[in-house]
Amino acid sequence: MTKPPLTLYLAAPRGFCAGVDRAIKIVEMALEKWGAPVFVRHEIVHNKFVVDGLRDKGAVFVESLDDCPDDRPVIFSAHGVPKAVPAKAASRDMIYVDATCPLVSKVHIEAQRHADNGLQMVMIGHDGHPETIGTMGQLPDGEVLLVETVADVGSIAPRDPDRLAFVTQTTLSVDDTIDIVAALKARFPAIIGPHKEDICYATTNRQEAVKAMAPKCDAMLVVGAPNSSNSKRLVEVGEKAGCAYSQLVQRATDIDWRSLDGITTVGITAGASAPEVLIDEVIAAFGERYDVTVDYVETAVETVEFKVPRILRAPA
């Protein structure tokens, strides 16, 4: 039986970013240095396949420092943690390694600098997301006001409208954030923004690749986890860029083949915490059903690398 022809557009860049790569390496190096178990506060990155793989090697994932023994190392996830968490670990004389993405740490430093200058912070981010919790937790309660939408801008009540600065979660939709920033500047003309955009290079690059790819596609699949902010944003960007059928899949087994019946072009990308092996799995699944031609849509080349913390580079 002849397979129907299908063009797969593969976004580049896609998948792992430098911060995710570094965070996974930190857990692996910690296991090599101290042996199992090594505790990790929250999923190191938002991807079940990655987390399960590290768990198999001896990582234990917990949601609170209270679930960690004093005598085993603990690693803080790539999303960052409130300031109180490393302080508590230090008070217990724990060995801890901070795997916070350096671009998230940059936002933390920025927020602290503005607070030191007497400014109240506004954070553009998703309520309850670990990165938002971590960034807001750099400052005392009440010092950071959270906005998720343009509508939220109208309801915040800063103590001094002329003494404000804003930061953003690093994994937001670039286009949506532009609208929220515009609303903040319209309501608070004196508000101070970042010197350079807080949304990280990897989020921006993956969204740009999707924008270039989406108009060519009958359907688009984003390989990523349902709790991955940057992956969910890629789905939204794909829809807005002209691909009405944009879906998030964790791996090939999640693909709804009936919905793809009759299509001739599919775009594939992946969130920043999805490994290439899962993308290869999706491509192989299409190859079993279609006569596939792969076409690359490359909009940027990434060369960023981040060093692991010194504690892991020093001898045990």
Side-chain angles (χ1 to χ4, degrees), residues 11-18 201-211 230 234 237 269-273 299 302:
R14 64 185 176 278
F16 277 3
C17 63
Y201 79 93
T203 298
T204 304
N205 288 349
R206 279 151 191 69
Q207 290 179 16
E208 287 303 315
V210 164
K211 287 177 188 176
N230 76 86
L234 289 174
V237 169
T269 188
S273 47
T299 54
E302 294 176 351

Side-chain angles (χ1 to χ4, degrees), residues 219-232:
M220 192 183 84
L221 300 181
V222 177
V223 181
N227 59 340
S228 165
S229 174
N230 76 86
S231 299
K232 290 195 288 189

Side-chain angles (χ1 to χ4, degrees), residues 15 46-48 171 206 210 213 219-239 243-257 259-260 266-275 278-279 281-282 286:
H46 283 160
N47 187 276
K48 185 179 186 300
T171 55
R206 279 151 191 69
V210 164
M213 184 174 71
M220 192 183 84
L221 300 181
V222 177
V223 181
N227 59 340
S228 165
S229 174
N230 76 86
S231 299
K232 290 195 288 189
R233 301 294 81 74
L234 289 174
V235 174
E236 294 166 2
V237 169
E239 289 171 348
C243 185
Y245 186 89
S246 294
Q247 297 292 317
L248 185 69
V249 294
Q250 294 201 67
R251 56 190 313 172
T253 49
D254 295 335
I255 298 171
D256 181 359
W257 296 105
S259 297
L260 301 178
V266 174
I268 296 175
T269 188
S273 47
L278 296 184
I279 302 157
E281 182 185 278
V282 168
F286 276 99

Side-chain angles (χ1 to χ4, degrees), residues 66-89:
D66 295 338
D67 299 324
C68 303
D70 291 345
D71 61 349
R72 294 305 301 163
V74 62
I75 297 167
F76 305 142
S77 84
H79 310 97
V81 294
K83 225 175 223 179
V85 175
K88 187 174 180 181

Side-chain angles (χ1 to χ4, degrees), residues 34 74 78 90 123 136 165 179 184 212 272 274 278 283 296 310:
W34 292 299
V74 62
M123 174 158 195
M136 293 181 71
D179 293 339
L184 280 170
L278 296 184
I283 294 169
Y296 292 87
R310 188 178 287 113

Side-chain angles (χ1 to χ4, degrees), residues 64-258:
S64 169
L65 213 55
D66 295 338
D67 299 324
C68 303
D70 291 345
D71 61 349
R72 294 305 301 163
V74 62
I75 297 167
F76 305 142
S77 84
H79 310 97
V81 294
K83 225 175 223 179
V85 175
K88 187 174 180 181
S91 75
R92 289 171 56 185
D93 291 325
M94 299 174 78
I95 294 174
Y96 65 89
V97 186
D98 190 356
T100 302
C101 172
L103 299 178
V104 174
S105 296
K106 180 179 81 72
V107 178
H108 291 181
I109 293 164
E110 206 174 346
Q112 187 63 61
R113 181 172 55 81
H114 286 311
D116 291 345
N117 290 330
L119 302 180
Q120 190 176 17
M121 296 303 305
V122 176
M123 174 158 195
I124 304 171
H126 295 296
D127 189 17
H129 188 278
E131 185 186 329
T132 299
I133 293 167
T135 300
M136 293 181 71
Q138 299 306 300
L139 302 176
D141 287 350
E143 285 303 304
V144 186
L145 305 171
L146 180 65
V147 297
E148 293 190 84
T149 64
V150 169
D152 290 342
V153 173
S155 61
I156 57 172
R159 60 173 172 266
D160 183 347
D162 296 325
R163 302 281 293 160
L164 286 176
F166 73 87
V167 293
T168 80
Q169 190 178 321
T170 61
T171 55
L172 301 178
S173 157
V174 174
D175 295 336
D176 290 350
T177 305
I178 287 170
D179 293 339
I180 298 172
V181 169
L184 280 170
K185 289 180 175 177
R187 186 176 171 207
F188 308 110
I191 197 167
I192 296 171
H195 294 305
K196 189 175 179 298
E197 185 57 66
D198 284 337
I199 296 174
C200 81
Y201 79 93
T203 298
T204 304
N205 288 349
R206 279 151 191 69
Q207 290 179 16
E208 287 303 315
V210 164
K211 287 177 188 176
M213 184 174 71
K216 307 171 188 275
C217 301
D218 297 329
M220 192 183 84
L221 300 181
V222 177
V223 181
N227 59 340
S228 165
S229 174
N230 76 86
S231 299
K232 290 195 288 189
R233 301 294 81 74
L234 289 174
V235 174
E236 294 166 2
V237 169
E239 289 171 348
K240 287 182 181 175
C243 185
Y245 186 89
S246 294
Q247 297 292 317
L248 185 69
V249 294
Q250 294 201 67
R251 56 190 313 172
T253 49
D254 295 335
I255 298 171
D256 181 359
W257 296 105
R258 285 178 300 179

